[in-house]
Amino acid sequence: MFFEKLFSYHEKFLRPPGAVPEKEFIDRCIRCRKCQQICPYQCISPAGALHGDAMGTPVIQAREIPCYLCMKCPPVCPTGALKTDIQKADVRMGVARIDRATCLPFQGIICRACYENCPIYREAITLDQEIYPVVHPEKCVGCGICEHVCPIEPSAIVVESSASRNED
Amino acid sequence: MKSWILRNLTITRRIAQLTILAMMFIIPYLNVKGFTGVIGTFYSMEMMGIPIVDPALCIQTLALMRELYVPLLLAVIIPLLAALALGRIFCSWACPFNTLAEYAQMLRLKLSPNKRIQAHNPAQIGHYLATLCLFMLALVFTFPVITFLSMPGLLTSQAADLVFLGSLGLELGLFLIIILAEVVIGSRFWCKYACPVGATLSVFRTGASLKVTFDASKCTCQKTEIYDCQKACPLSLNPRKKGIYPYCYNCGACIDACQRNGRALSLVFIHQKEHVKPLQRKMEEVNG
C-alpha cells in the first residue's frame, strides 16, 4: 500500500506490555497518551512526528527507563491496542540479546547485573557455569530491565522488540 | 444560579473554555506528581475509572478493525448522550481549538473591523462532506487519518507532552497552519466544514436536542445590514433564518446578544410553538 511505502520505517519500537501485532497496533492506537500518563515510572513516551504513521504511539526506551511490569497500562487502553487481560509472565514485548564481544563475564570480569535484576528471576536469564549469562527467549518478557542495568556503555544486553511490520 | 447562567451564557462559556485550557496543563502536571484520577486527552480520557472516547475515533477504530470491541462502545455512551441532549456542546464549551480560533477571530476583527464576512447558513451536506471523505481515506489506505486531524486531541496531547517531556511535536505545525489560514481567510472553515470530531457529533443531533430558536414576533431590532445576533455568532451563521444546523454548536452567543434586545432567540429542546398550537386550537374551539 501507498502509505506503507511512504512510512516504511524499519524501526522496531518497544511497545508497552500486551501490545497487539505492530500493523494492527498502528491502526488501533488512538494516541490518547493514557498508558503514558498512568505509568508510575514514566517509561512510556510518544513517538515523534518524524516516525510517520507511528507518530504519537507509545514507545519504551528501555536503556533510559525500562518497563517494571506493574501492568497498570493495559487496562486503561480504550481501543484494545494493549490487551487488557494479559498476565505478567505472558508479556512478550521483545527478547533480550547478549553481545558476547562486550559483555563483561565473557571478557573475564565478573558481572551479574542483568541476572540479578531480571523480574523473571532465574528463568529468563540463567548463569552458565555460574558465570556467563544466558537468555531464554521462551521465558523472556522483553521488559528491558537488563538493558537498563547493564554497567557498560553501550549496553551489552539489548532487547530486540517483537513489534515488526515486515514479518507478516 | 441556573437563570444567571442562562442570562450570561457567554461569560459562563468563557469561564468553562479557559478552565479547560488551564486543565490541559494542570492535569498532566498532577499526573507527573502521581495523581491518576483523571488521565488522558480529548482523544480518550478516564475520569475516576470511567473511560470516555471520542465517537469519531471510535467509529474509525471499529471501521479499521472490523470488530465490535465492547469496552470501546461503552466508552462512547457519555459523549453520545451529551450530543443527543445538548448538540455539539463539546465544540463550543470544551474544545480548545475552538477557544483559540474564537480568540484569533476576535483579534482579527479588532485589527480590521470592516472585513466581517456575510452571515449565512450553508447547505447541510457541506458539514459532512470532508469527514465522509476522511473516513473513506482511512478505510482505503487503512490509516488512522482522523486521529491526526482531531484538533482537540492534538492540542491536549501536545500540552501533555510539553508537561511530561518538556518538548513539543511537529504535529503542532498542523494546528498553526489551520489557525493561520482561518485568520487570513477570515472564515471559521475548520469547525464548520472540516472537523471530523464535530461532524460525527452532529450526526447524533435529533429533533428533540437542544437548539436555538428564533421568534420573529418578539424581535425588537431595527432592520439593519447586520443584526446583533449575527454579529455575535462565532461561526458567522444567521440565527434569524432556518438551517443553522448542523453548523450551529449551541454556544449561545446569539442568545446572549438577544438578551439586550427583544429576547427573540432562545435555547429550547422542543419547538414550543408546535406544542402551543394544538392547545390554542382546542381553546379556540372550546371558546368558539
Side-chain angles (χ1 to χ4, degrees):
Chain A
M1 291 303 284
F2 169 70
F3 277 104
E4 279 170 35
K5 280 205 175 121
L6 187 65
F7 301 129
S8 67
Y9 292 91
H10 298 287
E11 286 153 307
K12 295 175 105 189
F13 293 116
L14 196 62
R15 297 297 186 192
V20 294
E22 185 69 4
K23 179 75 192 75
E24 190 184 340
F25 189 83
I26 297 285
D27 288 349
R28 258 189 202 269
C29 174
I30 55 169
R31 283 77 169 160
C32 70
R33 270 63 165 184
K34 272 154 77 177
C35 51
Q36 174 194 342
Q37 292 170 351
I38 198 85
C39 180
Y41 306 99
Q42 290 174 34
C43 76
I44 302 172
S45 56
L50 294 177
H51 297 292
D53 60 354
M55 169 167 77
T57 52
V59 176
I60 295 173
Q61 252 118 28
R63 184 63 168 161
E64 286 164 32
I65 311 170
C67 171
Y68 290 98
L69 298 166
C70 68
M71 307 310 282
K72 278 187 178 166
C73 53
V76 299
C77 182
T79 58
L82 304 178
K83 283 187 209 125
T84 46
D85 52 352
I86 192 143
Q87 294 300 308
K88 195 167 152 177
D90 300 329
V91 172
R92 290 291 177 272
M93 296 157 68
V95 175
R97 293 198 201 289
I98 295 169
D99 181 4
R100 293 189 176 200
T102 54
C103 179
L104 289 178
F106 294 95
Q107 323 306 318
I109 301 160
I110 296 237
C111 172
R112 290 155 67 122
C114 56
Y115 168 77
E116 297 281 3
N117 286 284
C118 179
I120 317 296
Y121 188 51
R122 286 179 168 174
E123 288 183 43
I125 301 178
T126 56
L127 290 181
D128 182 27
Q129 301 165 42
E130 295 294 312
I131 296 173
Y132 307 107
V134 179
V135 177
H136 299 278
E138 70 281 4
K139 294 278 184 188
C140 178
V141 294
C143 65
I145 293 175
C146 50
E147 186 179 331
H148 177 65
V149 297
C150 182
I152 63 162
E153 192 62 47
S155 180
I157 185 164
V158 173
V159 175
E160 192 181 311
S161 169
S162 51
S164 168
R165 276 198 250 185
N166 303 319
E167 268 169 21
D168 44 50
Chain B
M1 185 65 194
K2 191 185 155 206
S3 62
W4 186 88
I5 289 173
L6 284 175
R7 270 185 282 114
N8 299 278
L9 274 171
T10 301
I11 295 171
T12 320
R13 193 167 67 94
R14 293 276 177 251
I15 293 169
Q17 286 179 317
L18 296 177
T19 308
I20 287 198
L21 279 190
M23 283 298 169
M24 275 166 57
F25 298 95
I26 294 170
I27 288 174
Y29 177 77
L30 292 175
N31 294 156
V32 172
K33 295 281 167 210
F35 167 79
T36 51
V38 180
I39 53 166
T41 55
F42 276 147
Y43 290 125
S44 168
M45 303 180 71
E46 193 157 315
M47 285 182 185
M48 306 299 156
I50 301 166
I52 301 169
V53 174
D54 177 350
L57 295 182
C58 168
I59 294 173
Q60 176 187 255
T61 310
L62 295 179
L64 284 177
M65 303 300 20
R66 295 184 178 83
E67 173 205 325
L68 286 177
Y69 186 64
V70 177
L72 187 57
L73 292 173
L74 293 177
V76 293
I77 289 177
I78 293 174
L80 285 194
L81 285 180
L84 275 171
L86 304 170
R88 274 164 64 200
I89 203 113
F90 167 79
C91 302
S92 54
W93 287 64
C95 177
F97 176 82
N98 174 61
T99 309
L100 296 173
E102 268 188 67
Y103 278 110
Q105 213 57 248
M106 272 156 37
L107 191 72
R108 178 185 171 278
L109 280 173
K110 274 233 171 78
L111 295 176
S112 53
N114 303 324
K115 285 193 175 171
R116 183 182 287 281
I117 64 162
Q118 192 65 43
H120 81 294
N121 304 330
Q124 278 200 21
I125 184 71
H127 185 59
Y128 300 109
L129 210 59
T131 300
L132 266 171
C133 291
L134 287 177
F135 273 115
M136 298 294 272
L137 203 72
L139 268 177
V140 170
F141 291 109
T142 59
F143 180 72
V145 64
I146 309 278
T147 312
F148 301 119
L149 292 179
S150 157
M151 281 301 128
L154 188 146
L155 285 173
T156 44
S157 60
Q158 286 304 309
D161 287 357
L162 186 66
V163 174
F164 267 78
L165 313 166
S167 64
L168 288 166
L170 284 175
E171 300 99 304
L172 209 59
L174 182 67
F175 158 73
L176 292 174
I177 291 169
I178 292 170
I179 203 145
L180 213 69
E182 285 204 335
V183 169
V184 170
I185 300 168
S187 153
R188 292 285 309 281
F189 67 87
W190 189 263
C191 300
K192 284 167 84 174
Y193 306 111
C195 180
V197 178
T200 309
L201 290 177
S202 289
V203 173
F204 297 96
R205 211 180 57 81
T206 69
S209 305
L210 190 69
K211 62 177 114 8
V212 174
T213 51
F214 175 64
D215 184 352
S217 63
K218 280 191 187 168
C219 182
T220 57
C221 288
Q222 296 283 318
K223 193 172 171 15
T224 54
E225 189 82 1
I226 180 156
Y227 291 88
D228 278 359
C229 50
Q230 297 168 351
K231 216 182 273 182
C233 180
L235 299 178
S236 48
L237 299 169
N238 182 1
R240 297 171 57 85
K241 287 235 169 78
K242 278 194 172 172
I244 51 170
Y245 292 99
Y247 294 95
C248 172
Y249 53 30
N250 289 350
C251 71
C254 57
I255 290 153
D256 220 34
C258 203
Q259 293 287 313
R260 295 185 294 272
N261 298 312
R263 300 194 178 186
L265 286 160
S266 53
L267 276 168
V268 298
F269 284 99
I270 295 163
H271 282 289
Q272 305 216 315
K273 270 185 185 167
E274 290 160 18
H275 270 275
V276 170
K277 256 182 194 162
L279 200 74
Q280 267 182 343
R281 224 171 285 149
K282 240 179 209 165
M283 295 280 275
E284 280 160 16
E285 274 169 25
V286 169
N287 291 339

